[in-house]
Coordinates of all heavy atoms in Angstrom, one line a residue:
N3 N 3.9 1.6 -1.1 CA 4.6 1.8 -2.4 C 3.6 2.3 -3.5 O 4.0 3.2 -4.3 CB 5.0 0.4 -2.9 CG 6.2 -0.1 -2.1 OD1 6.9 0.7 -1.5 ND2 6.5 -1.4 -2.1
I10 N 4.2 10.6 -6.5 CA 5.3 11.0 -7.5 C 4.6 11.2 -8.8 O 5.0 12.2 -9.5 CB 6.4 10.0 -7.6 CG1 7.2 9.9 -6.2 CG2 7.3 10.2 -8.8 CD1 8.1 8.8 -6.1
L25 N 6.1 29.3 -18.8 CA 6.3 29.7 -20.2 C 5.3 30.7 -20.7 O 5.5 31.5 -21.6 CB 6.6 28.6 -21.1 CG 7.8 27.7 -20.8 CD1 7.8 26.5 -21.6 CD2 9.1 28.6 -20.9
A39 N -1.7 24.3 -5.1 CA -2.8 24.7 -4.2 C -4.0 23.7 -4.5 O -4.7 23.4 -3.7 CB -3.1 26.2 -4.4
F42 N -3.3 20.4 -3.1 CA -3.5 20.5 -1.6 C -5.0 20.5 -1.3 O -5.3 19.7 -0.4 CB -2.9 21.7 -1.1 CG -3.0 22.0 0.4 CD1 -2.3 21.2 1.3 CD2 -4.0 22.8 0.8 CE1 -2.5 21.4 2.6 CE2 -4.2 23.0 2.2 CZ -3.4 22.3 3.1
V49 N -8.9 13.2 2.1 CA -8.7 12.8 3.5 C -9.9 12.9 4.3 O -10.3 12.1 5.1 CB -7.4 13.6 4.1 CG1 -7.4 13.3 5.6 CG2 -6.1 13.1 3.4
L72 N -1.3 15.4 -0.8 CA -0.7 16.3 0.0 C 0.9 16.3 -0.1 O 1.5 17.4 0.0 CB -1.1 16.1 1.5 CG -2.6 16.4 1.8 CD1 -3.0 15.9 3.2 CD2 -2.9 17.8 1.6
A76 N 3.1 19.5 -1.3 CA 4.2 20.1 -0.5 C 5.5 20.1 -1.3 O 6.1 21.2 -1.3 CB 4.3 19.2 0.8
A79 N 5.2 22.7 -4.1 CA 5.3 24.0 -3.7 C 6.7 24.4 -3.3 O 7.2 25.5 -3.6 CB 4.4 24.3 -2.5
T82 N 8.6 24.7 -6.6 CA 8.2 25.9 -7.4 C 8.8 27.2 -6.7 O 9.2 28.0 -7.5 CB 6.6 26.0 -7.3 OG1 6.1 24.8 -8.0 CG2 6.2 27.2 -8.1
T87 N 12.6 31.6 -6.9 CA 13.7 32.4 -6.3 C 14.9 32.6 -7.3 O 15.4 33.7 -7.4 CB 14.0 31.6 -5.0 OG1 12.9 31.5 -4.0 CG2 15.1 32.4 -4.3

Side-chain angles (χ1 to χ4, degrees):
N3 291 338
I10 292 171
L25 295 175
F42 177 77
V49 167
L72 292 173
T82 302
T87 300

